Amino acid sequence: MSVIQKPCLVLLVGVFASACATPGETREPSQFKKWPSKPPDCEFDVFEADAEPSEPSRPYEVLGTLALDGNQWMGQEGRKEALRQTACTAGADAVLLSRPFERGFGKQVIRSYDVRFAVYTDVPPPPEVQAEREAAREKPPPPRSPDTILVPAPAWDQGEEGTAVIKKQ
C-alpha cells in the first residue's frame, strides 16, 4: 500500500464509521411560531408521505419546519424518537414528513426529509397563545395631536416612579 493510499483509506473508514454511528440528526427549532412547549415525553402523531394516511384528517397549522437526515435502517419509530425533543419543545400535535430524498455513499443510503411541525386547529389554542392573538387584533391607539412630544422611556415597573410628558406651548 502506498503512502498516499493509506491516509485515504483511513479517511474513508472514518467517514463510514461516523455515518453508522449517527442514525439521524435533528436541529433546534428556529423561526418557529411561538407555542407553549409540552413535556419531554409528549405524544404526537407522525404522518409520512410514503404511508397512509399521509396527512392529518383534522385541520392544522404549521409551526415550523426543519430537515432530518437518517440512514436506511432508521424506521418510522426511529424517526419519531429522533424528532421527539423538537416536537415537544415546539408544542406540536403532529409531525409531517416529506418523501425522502435518497443519496448513496458507498453501501450507505442517506435519507433526507423535510419535516413540518404542526398543531391542530379544531381545538382552541392554549390561553397564552389566545391572549397574544387577541392583543395583536386590538385596534391601534388613536393618533396623537401634532403638538404632543413623545419621550422614550424604559418599561414602567409598579415599584418605580413614572416619567412625565410635557405638552409644548
Side-chain angles (χ1 to χ4, degrees), residues 111-142:
R111 292 187 175 131
S112 297
Y113 299 85
D114 288 325
V115 184
R116 294 179 291 161
F117 296 85
V119 291
Y120 294 125
T121 57
D122 58 352
V123 293
E128 56 268 32
V129 172
Q130 186 66 30
E132 189 174 301
R133 287 181 177 178
E134 288 172 5
R137 283 189 214 124
E138 288 179 7
K139 293 180 182 175

Side-chain angles (χ1 to χ4, degrees), residues 100-114:
F101 169 74
E102 295 184 352
R103 59 191 187 279
F105 189 73
K107 292 183 179 182
Q108 182 80 10
V109 176
I110 305 297
R111 292 187 175 131
S112 297
Y113 299 85
D114 288 325

Side-chain angles (χ1 to χ4, degrees), residues 26-168:
T26 57
R27 297 178 187 94
E28 286 299 312
S30 61
Q31 303 294 324
F32 272 54
K33 292 180 183 175
K34 190 174 181 179
W35 205 263
S37 295
K38 293 183 175 183
D41 60 342
C42 72
E43 286 300 315
F44 57 95
D45 300 323
V46 177
F47 298 91
E48 297 194 29
D50 290 339
E52 286 298 323
S54 60
E55 291 266 329
S57 59
R58 300 168 63 182
Y60 63 90
E61 177 182 346
V62 175
L63 296 174
T65 61
L66 59 80
L68 170 71
D69 294 332
N71 60 29
Q72 71 262 33
W73 297 289
M74 180 185 267
Q76 187 174 17
E77 283 303 311
R79 287 187 290 277
K80 185 172 183 174
E81 286 308 310
L83 295 166
R84 181 173 301 282
Q85 180 182 1
T86 303
C88 295
T89 301
D93 295 323
V95 173
L96 295 86
L97 286 90
S98 68
R99 274 196 168 75
F101 169 74
E102 295 184 352
R103 59 191 187 279
F105 189 73
K107 292 183 179 182
Q108 182 80 10
V109 176
I110 305 297
R111 292 187 175 131
S112 297
Y113 299 85
D114 288 325
V115 184
R116 294 179 291 161
F117 296 85
V119 291
Y120 294 125
T121 57
D122 58 352
V123 293
E128 56 268 32
V129 172
Q130 186 66 30
E132 189 174 301
R133 287 181 177 178
E134 288 172 5
R137 283 189 214 124
E138 288 179 7
K139 293 180 182 175
R144 292 181 206 74
S145 70
D147 58 344
T148 301
I149 298 172
L150 189 61
V151 179
W156 182 56
D157 186 19
Q158 295 291 340
E160 298 176 6
E161 289 187 29
T163 57
V165 176
I166 301 171
K167 197 168 192 178
K168 187 169 65 170

